[in-house]
Amino acid sequence: MKRRDFSLAATSLGLISLAGNTAHAQARAPKAGTEYLVLDKRVPVDAPAGKVEVIEFFSYNCPHCNDFEPQLDAWLKTTPKEVAFRRVPVPFVGNDVESKQRLYYALEAMGKVEEFQPKVFNAIHKQRQNVNGDANIIAWATANGLDGAKFKEVFTSFSVASKAKRATQLTEAYKVAGVPALAVGGRWYVDGELAGNMTKALQVTNYLIGEAKKG
C-alpha cells in the first residue's frame, strides 16, 4: 500500500470554516467513494454506546500531522458531546515508527498526551532533536520533566507494546493510505487527498458524525 502524508493545501483558509461556519461547511453532502470511503467491513469501535468514535491516524514523524495539530485542536473544541475522539499512531512515515507508537501510548497511560503532544512534535520538527530509539526517547522524556524511571517502565511495558500492535492492526483495518487521516464510527474513512485538503476533511468528518448519529 502506498503511504503518503498530506499537505494542508488550504492553509490560507485558516480556521474560518471550522470555527465560524461549521453549520454551513457543507453546502451539499460529500460523495461517498470520492470525498470519503465507506469501509467494506465495519471496524469494531472502543466508544461506549451513544457515542460516535472519531479517530485521527497520525505519525510524530509526519510534518503535515505537525501542521494539522492546531487545526485539529480548534475543531475538537467544536465537536458535539456525542463524539468520542482518540488518536492512533501509524506504523509508517519515517524511521523508528514502533518506538514512536509506544511513545504515544506511554504518554496516554501517564495522562500526559494533552501536555506532551505539542512538545513531541516541536522537538522533532522545529528543534530537530534526536527522538529516535528507546534510549533517546527515555532521555527526552526525562529532560522534559517526566519521571524517568516511571516513563521507562510504562514505555517498555507489555501493555504499551500491545497497544502499539493494535494501532498497526487498526491502520490496516481502515486501509489508511496516508496521514493525517480521520475515521468515523468504524464505518467511514477520509483523508486530505480524498477530501481535497484537511480543512475539507474535517468538514466531511462533521457530515459523517451527523450520519452516524442517525444510526
Side-chain angles (χ1 to χ4, degrees):
M1 181 185 299
K2 185 179 179 182
R3 304 295 196 185
R4 304 181 300 279
D5 52 353
F6 301 120
S7 64
L8 299 178
T11 51
S12 62
L13 294 177
L15 303 181
I16 295 173
S17 62
L18 300 179
N21 295 323
T22 301
H24 304 288
Q26 291 296 327
R28 57 167 178 79
K31 296 180 180 180
T34 302
E35 293 166 280
Y36 67 92
L37 300 179
V38 181
L39 300 184
D40 296 331
K41 182 180 179 181
R42 287 197 182 191
V43 178
V45 299
D46 287 346
K51 296 286 187 177
V52 179
E53 180 173 88
V54 176
I55 296 173
E56 182 216 9
F57 290 97
F58 80 99
S59 168
Y60 284 132
N61 291 331
C62 167
H64 304 305
C65 296
N66 174 54
D67 292 340
F68 182 52
E69 275 293 301
Q71 195 171 19
L72 178 65
D73 287 343
W75 176 80
L76 286 171
K77 294 175 182 177
T78 72
T79 55
K81 62 182 180 180
E82 294 87 358
V83 169
F85 175 79
R86 64 185 176 117
R87 292 178 167 92
V88 171
V90 299
F92 60 91
V93 183
N95 56 13
D96 196 42
V97 292
E98 194 269 346
S99 292
K100 295 289 183 13
Q101 288 176 301
R102 287 189 288 116
L103 168 57
Y104 173 78
Y105 286 115
L107 293 174
E108 181 185 68
M110 296 177 73
K112 296 292 185 179
V113 168
E114 184 174 352
E115 179 183 354
F116 275 79
Q117 193 79 351
K119 291 183 179 181
V120 179
F121 276 120
N122 186 64
I124 294 170
H125 297 285
K126 293 183 180 179
Q127 298 176 356
R128 304 295 181 183
Q129 295 183 25
N130 183 3
V131 191
N132 291 308
D134 286 16
N136 285 327
I137 289 173
I138 293 167
W140 178 87
T142 304
N144 280 272
L146 291 176
D147 182 317
K150 178 63 176 177
F151 178 83
K152 180 178 180 180
E153 178 185 352
V154 176
F155 177 63
T156 58
S157 68
F158 176 78
S159 174
V160 161
S162 297
K163 288 182 178 180
K165 183 177 180 180
R166 175 59 178 156
T168 296
Q169 293 170 342
L170 276 172
T171 301
E172 296 302 323
Y174 278 100
K175 301 179 181 179
V176 177
V179 288
L182 297 156
V184 181
R187 300 161 62 184
W188 301 290
Y189 168 88
V190 60
D191 58 34
E193 184 166 292
L194 286 165
N197 55 65
M198 289 308 297
T199 296
K200 292 180 180 178
L202 287 173
Q203 294 169 3
V204 172
T205 300
N206 286 340
Y207 167 79
L208 295 174
I209 290 169
E211 292 298 291
K213 287 165 65 177
K214 293 176 183 177

